[in-house]
């Protein structure tokens, strides 16, 4: 049985059926940022009460997906646009009092992935972990075994660098971390397991991890010093050759 609706523009994409799931997403290149734009196709089961205003029912369902981790998107949708119905009819299930509708929608989603460098604010500090909030939305945890080159000060309640006492991490500090793993706890809740490595795996000082204020002030000086030392060694070798 079908319920006619206002005619919408059709697309040629294939649709797979699933219970209120995002069933198709266009392939994209490997992202370099944790915020992505994703074009998706969704199969929705609408309650008969939504037949009075089908578009409103669709929007209410899409709104319910926001700000919660979605396995099909592999991230947290924070906004959407370009919402359109694929078909001009609604199909009534022969077994349940629900109407099926398929829509295309473009989501803006937070999708942190392993290896990404993210910045956030420290919300909790203890002798076993550092808690960080990224984008004012995503909870990140850096366990003690992934905190390199720092030791915990019980007196100051901060993590202090072993190589420079001026480099500390405490509650309220802005920090840069490296994503190691995404943990899905179900019910729309996720946690990012992160690390504070001493050096970037690719040797890029611009993405070094730690206290952002300290890094901005000290990294340029350290890099300048390293270049100066490297140049001095090179000049010394050239003099010996002569």
């Amino acid at each position: 049985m079908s319920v006619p609706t206002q005619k919408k523009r059709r697309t040629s994409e294939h649709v797979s059926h699933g219970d209120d799931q995002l069933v198709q997403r266009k392939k994209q290149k490997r992202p370099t940022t944790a915020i992505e734009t994703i074009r998706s196709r969704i199969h929705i089961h609408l309650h008969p009460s939504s037949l009075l205003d089908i578009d409103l029912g669709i929007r209410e369902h899409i709104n319910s997906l926001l700000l919660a981790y979605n396995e099909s998107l592999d991230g947290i949708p924070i906004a959407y646009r370009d919402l359109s119905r694929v078909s001009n009819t609604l199909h009534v299930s022969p077994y349940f009092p629900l109407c099926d509708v398929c829509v295309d929608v473009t989501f803006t989603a937070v999708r942190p992935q392993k290896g990404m460098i993210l910045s956030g604010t420290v919300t909790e500090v203890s002798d076993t972990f550092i808690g960080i909030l990224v984008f004012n939305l995503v909870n990140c945890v850096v366990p003690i075994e992934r905190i390199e080159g720092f030791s915990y000060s019980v007196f100051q309640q901060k993590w202090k660098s072993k190589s420079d006492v001026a480099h500390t991490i405490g509650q309220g500090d802005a920090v840069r971390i490296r994503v190691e793993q995404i943990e899905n706890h179900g019910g729309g809740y996720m946690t990012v397991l992160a690390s504070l490595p001493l050096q970037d795996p690719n040797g890029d000082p611009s993405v070094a991890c730690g206290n952002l204020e300290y890094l901005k002030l000290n990294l340029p000086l350290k890099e300048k010093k390293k270049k100066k030392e490297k140049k001095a060694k090179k000049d010394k070798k050239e003099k010996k050759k002569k």
Side-chain angles (χ1 to χ4, degrees):
M1 178 179 177
S2 298
V3 179
T5 64
Q6 185 178 354
K7 189 173 182 179
K8 297 285 181 176
R9 180 174 59 85
R10 292 177 177 272
T11 66
S12 59
E13 297 179 36
H14 172 70
V15 180
S16 298
H17 293 278
D19 185 13
D20 290 350
Q21 294 293 318
L22 308 183
V23 295
Q24 186 176 17
R25 186 171 70 237
K26 290 184 177 179
K27 290 183 179 180
Q28 296 183 336
K29 295 180 180 179
R30 182 175 177 82
T32 56
T33 176
I35 298 181
E36 282 189 74
T37 299
I38 306 166
R39 186 65 176 171
S40 300
R41 181 162 288 185
I42 307 178
H43 189 73
I44 301 172
H45 299 315
L46 288 179
H47 190 271
S49 62
S50 298
L51 294 178
L52 292 174
D53 192 334
I54 295 170
D55 290 334
L56 176 61
I58 292 172
R59 287 196 302 272
E60 287 178 344
H61 179 84
I62 301 297
N63 289 338
S64 71
L65 301 176
L66 300 180
L67 304 181
Y69 180 73
N70 188 288
E71 290 188 40
S72 297
L73 280 178
D74 191 24
I76 302 174
I78 56 177
Y80 67 91
R81 58 182 171 82
D82 302 332
L83 176 63
S84 61
R85 270 183 272 157
V86 174
S87 174
N88 63 343
T89 59
L90 298 181
H91 299 281
V92 179
S93 171
Y95 305 105
F96 304 101
L98 298 171
C99 298
D100 298 336
V101 60
C102 198
V103 300
D104 285 333
V105 60
T106 299
F107 284 105
T108 299
V110 177
R111 300 182 70 230
Q113 297 182 31
K114 184 176 180 178
M116 282 185 173
I117 303 297
L118 302 178
S119 298
T121 303
V122 177
T123 57
E124 190 174 357
V125 174
S126 78
D127 59 347
T128 58
F129 74 95
I130 300 174
I132 300 153
L133 189 64
V134 175
F135 300 124
N136 204 31
L137 176 67
V138 181
N139 288 306
C140 303
V141 176
V142 184
I144 186 171
E145 62 269 18
R146 295 183 183 271
I147 303 175
E148 299 179 14
F150 285 80
S151 61
Y152 185 71
S153 170
V154 179
F155 179 73
Q156 293 183 319
Q157 294 188 335
K158 290 184 176 182
W159 285 86
K160 300 175 67 175
S161 172
K162 296 176 182 178
S163 60
D164 189 344
V165 293
H167 190 183
T168 63
I169 297 176
Q171 190 165 348
D173 289 340
V175 295
R176 188 186 288 149
I177 56 177
R178 185 176 188 270
V179 177
E180 298 296 340
Q181 184 179 334
I182 307 299
E183 295 186 343
N184 177 17
H185 302 285
Y189 180 70
M190 64 166 278
T191 300
V192 171
L193 187 65
S195 65
L196 279 168
L198 286 174
Q199 296 180 344
D200 176 66
N202 299 318
D204 185 356
S206 66
V207 292
C209 294
N211 187 306
L212 274 174
E213 186 175 351
Y214 172 86
L215 295 174
K216 288 178 180 178
L217 290 173
N218 292 275
L219 274 182
L221 297 176
K222 288 184 177 181
E223 286 303 307
K224 188 176 181 180
K225 185 179 178 181
K226 284 182 181 179
K227 287 181 180 179
K228 190 175 181 180
E229 291 175 349
K230 190 175 180 180
K231 186 176 184 302
K233 287 181 180 179
K234 186 178 180 181
D235 293 341
K236 191 175 180 180
K237 286 182 179 180
E238 290 178 353
K239 285 182 180 179
K240 286 183 178 181
K241 287 180 180 180
K242 291 180 180 179

